[in-house]
Every structure is written in structure tokens, then in C-alpha cells.
Amino acid sequence: MGDYKKMWQDLNMDIEKHDILCAALPEQFGDIYLTQKNRPDAMNYFNYVVAEIHGARIMELEKYKKEGGSVVGTFCVFVPDEVILATKAIGVGLCSGSQFWIEDGEKVLPRNICPLVKAFAGAKIGLTCPYFQSCDMIVGETTCDAKKKAWEIMDEYMPVHVMELPQMKREKNIKEWEDEIKIFINRMEELTGNKVTVESLKKGIDVCNRKRRALKRLYDLRKNIPSPISGLDALLVSQVAFSDDPERFIEKTEELCDELEERVKELKPNGKKRIMVTGTPMALPNWKLHSIVEGLNAEIVVEETCTGTRYFENEVSIEGDTIDELVRNMAERYMDINCACFTPNEGRTEDIVKYAEEYNIDGVIYYNLSFCHTYAIEYEKIEKVLKEKDIPLLKIETDYSEEDTGQIKTRVEAFLEMI
Ligand code: BJ8
């Protein structure tokens, strides 16, 4: 990474503390990613993004802001990127995937809540994340209790806009989400000074749809036996999708897929067990489960998570001549996401069963971040259905620390032997 000290100082960061994080990440990335054999050449771009994660991309954001642009941070796949793009703002998904931020997060939040929430709070409070420092506003949502209450704390540190996500999927709820999108449009217009028009919204929808298509193409390639890309690499691509420039991301992901298409022609069976991961998201730099599983005789070929299929499945229809019609299209697409915060949430079970077949999987690992109650409770339903279908299932509940790595490895090893 280049020398960005001056930029970080201008962003009012805690340089000393941030240096500790900067020193640890390359080693972690090197050990997990660069030791993989026979990686696609096109992954070099994604390696570069990680190497420059707190540097080059932040420079772009800062340059954009100097030119009068706005940057907003998001935490959930329900926040409609289309609106952010339509107001000419840059949206960045704020990573909350490191143990590094937990200590600071616990200064303002109880210890017994999900690490993702503690990490994002810690990243802001400890002044160790340049993305937070670059953001003019963050956009929260009322998904789980931990997030819902954390916005009130975050509000003391920076402007926060909270979208009220309905927790059922009736027609009335879809209409409520339409209203929330409209309120969000107003707030984004106020923040940026740019009016949303039918044309700008259609443009935003088009970019997001093309991004979804690129990710879907990558995932479809993983259906090959064996997959032409490791689960670790595919996860990295998904994680980068949240913060990279969308057009550049689409181009680089399509390049990667072109290369993988060539690879598919040469593939030979590798005897590895094909695993689906389902559950809570894995924000950058959370590579814990993937590195454990792929360190054994297995490959992860699909993630039914928000850093996986839930991010890109289903497109927003571009049909319509008014903002109201386009907002309705968006509400319909977003309300089709099967997050465990909904009741009931049958769609998720159906998705898991469908993917198990499509990706030809041998077993499912249910990944549950500690203290995420909605996903923990939903486990039972999914277990029941997978049992009926005779699909092996292993539940792993964990946080970002390394303390249980050995124990998880032993459990995954036993699971792989069993299937
Ligand atoms: S749509 S999964 S990104 S809310 S923060 S719910 S892990 S206790 S992230 Fe999520 Fe949107 Fe749903 Fe997806 Fe649990 Fe933690 Fe809450 Fe979490």
C-alpha cells in the first residue's frame, strides 16, 4: 500500500491504532489467499483492491467529495443502491468483519451482541476505518434488534438515516417499503442536491442489474464440477462488490468470468466435497470459515448469504414511465430477499433446497454469527427440511476471534468424513 498518512490524518483517524490494523491485514491475506494454488490471473485485480482497501479507493472517494460529490455508507442489502446512484452519490458497504474493531465496539455496546454490529460501531468510535470517516451519512435499517438500537448510538457520531424495513411480506408491507424508498429518495436529494428523475433512476437500476448479472454469472460458473474458482476467491469478489466502483467492478468480474469459462474446458475431477454455506453475512475481512473448510478436502461452491446469493438474485424491472412505477419495481425486488428478520421466511428454505440441487452440493454448513438470534432460531426449520431431503447439515456458531478455529476445524473435518 502507498503512503496515505496525510489523507488519514485529514480524515481525523487514529493513525497509531490504524497502523496496527494495516500491519495485520497483509499477513492475514497472504496466509489465506496468496498461498492458494493455481488461482485465476484475473484475481490479481481483487488482490490489488484488498491491498489498497484503505488507500486507493479512499483517495477516489475523497477526490469525488472535493468535486462536490457525496458518499454514503450502508450495512444491509436492503438499502437500494439504485437511489444512491440516481442522486450521483457513491455508496459503500461498510465492512465490519474484523476482530480488530470489537474492543472499541464493546465500549458502547453490550458484549453479548453480534460481532458484525460491535465491529462497525468500533470502527467508527475508534476512528480506525477511513470509509466511515469519508461518509457524509450512513444508512441503517430496522432489520435486527442489534442494528436497530445501534443506529441511535451511531447517530451521536455522524448523520444517520434509518429505513424502516417491514418484517412481513404482505401487500401492505410492500407498499410500506415503497414509502420508505420514497423517503430515502427525499433524504438523498437533500444530501446531494441532485433530483432523482425517471432517467437517473433507470440508469441506477441498470447499473445495479448489470452488477447482479456479473455476480450471477460468476456463481453459475461455480456450478461446474469441480468449480473453476475457490470459495475463498468467490467470497472475495462478493465482498469487494460492496465498496468498489460499480462499473469497474462489473468489468473486472466479467473478465474473471471469461477466464473461468476457459478454465472450465480443462477441468478434471478433484474429489473435493461440495459445500453450501448458508446464514449470516461475511463482511470483509472475514474469511474464517472459508479458509478452514477449503484447508480441508472441500470446496465451497455457493453462499446463501447476503455476501452471496441474496445480494444479486432477482433484478429490478426497468419497465415504467414514472418514479412511482420504478419505486414499486424496486420494492418488489427487495421484498423478495429472504432475510431471517422476516416472519414467516419460507422463501429462504426454498432457496436452500433449490441451490442444493443446482450446485450439486454434498453438504450444507449453517454459518451463524454469535448472538444473531433470528438466524439461530431459523436453524430449526431449515434443519427439518434438509433432514427430509437427506441433505447433511452442520451448524457453526462463531464470532471473529481465532480462539475456536481448531475446534471448528475438527467439527468440519468430522462432517466431511461423514458425508
Ligand atoms: S438482509 S442478513 S445484511 S439484516 S447484524 S441480522 S448477523 S444480529 S447482517 Fe443482515 Fe440485511 Fe438481513 Fe442480510 Fe444477525 Fe448481526 Fe443482525 Fe446481521
Side-chain angles (χ1 to χ4, degrees), residues 144-164:
C144 64
D145 287 352
K147 277 191 184 173
K148 198 157 53 191
K149 296 306 286 180
W151 308 133
E152 294 168 31
I153 294 171
M154 299 302 281
D155 197 40
E156 291 168 22
Y157 294 84
M158 65 195 300
V160 180
H161 175 78
V162 182
M163 297 185 77
E164 185 183 356

Side-chain angles (χ1 to χ4, degrees), residues 75-78 114 116-117 143-144 147 280-281 306 310 339 369 372 375:
F75 301 87
C76 176
V77 296
F78 271 96
C114 150
L116 201 138
V117 177
T143 42
C144 64
K147 277 191 184 173
T280 45
C306 287
R310 273 181 244 138
C339 172
L369 281 172
C372 175
Y375 279 87

Side-chain angles (χ1 to χ4, degrees), residues 201-203 205-206 209 316-321 326 329:
L201 196 50
K202 280 199 174 189
K203 222 169 139 194
I205 292 173
D206 174 61
N209 281 347
V316 174
S317 165
I318 211 133
E319 297 301 316
D321 303 313
L326 296 174
N329 297 349

Side-chain angles (χ1 to χ4, degrees), residues 241-385:
F242 287 85
S243 59
D244 201 5
D245 172 75
E247 292 290 1
R248 184 173 55 211
F249 174 82
I250 294 166
E251 188 192 319
K252 296 294 175 186
T253 305
E254 296 287 4
E255 267 175 38
L256 170 66
C257 291
D258 291 342
E259 186 182 343
L260 297 181
E261 255 164 29
E262 287 306 309
R263 281 187 164 222
V264 167
K265 296 175 189 161
E266 320 265 302
L267 288 177
K268 294 199 177 68
N270 62 10
K272 289 186 179 176
K273 297 276 165 35
R274 295 171 66 80
I275 301 297
M276 177 195 320
V277 169
T278 178
T280 45
M282 295 168 174
L284 205 70
N286 177 7
W287 306 304
K288 183 172 167 178
L289 182 69
H290 280 57
S291 67
I292 294 173
V293 174
E294 297 202 330
L296 300 165
N297 191 29
E299 55 183 9
I300 293 174
V301 294
V302 57
E303 295 85 7
E304 190 280 319
T305 64
C306 287
T307 38
T309 55
R310 273 181 244 138
Y311 185 47
F312 64 77
E313 285 289 20
N314 304 323
E315 295 187 8
V316 174
S317 165
I318 211 133
E319 297 301 316
D321 303 313
T322 62
I323 292 192
D324 280 356
E325 284 172 297
L326 296 174
V327 166
R328 172 72 197 185
N329 297 349
M330 284 163 57
E332 282 175 0
R333 184 266 163 193
Y334 280 90
M335 289 294 279
D336 239 358
I337 299 172
N338 298 315
C339 172
C341 67
F342 284 94
T343 183
N345 190 31
E346 306 298 345
R348 180 164 167 237
T349 323
E350 288 160 20
D351 284 346
I352 294 170
V353 171
K354 183 177 80 178
Y355 296 143
E357 200 170 309
E358 283 180 6
Y359 289 82
N360 231 298
I361 63 114
D362 297 304
V364 177
I365 298 183
Y366 197 103
Y367 174 75
N368 209 120
L369 281 172
S370 321
F371 305 111
C372 175
H373 302 312
T374 49
Y375 279 87
I377 295 166
E378 203 157 274
Y379 173 78
E380 215 222 335
K381 273 202 161 240
I382 284 160
E383 185 189 33
K384 211 184 265 171
V385 174

Side-chain angles (χ1 to χ4, degrees), residues 29-87:
F29 187 74
D31 287 349
I32 295 176
Y33 274 90
L34 305 181
T35 49
Q36 293 183 93
K37 303 232 160 48
N38 196 24
R39 296 176 77 208
D41 292 339
M43 282 310 294
N44 284 334
Y45 170 70
F46 299 93
N47 294 345
Y48 164 79
V49 172
V50 176
E52 284 288 332
I53 193 89
H54 281 189
R57 182 64 176 141
I58 302 295
M59 283 262 273
E60 286 180 351
L61 302 184
E62 287 305 294
K63 182 168 173 276
Y64 193 64
K65 284 174 67 180
K66 277 195 190 111
E67 291 161 358
S70 306
V71 177
V72 294
T74 61
F75 301 87
C76 176
V77 296
F78 271 96
V79 175
D81 286 336
E82 292 85 348
V83 173
I84 298 173
L85 291 171
T87 53

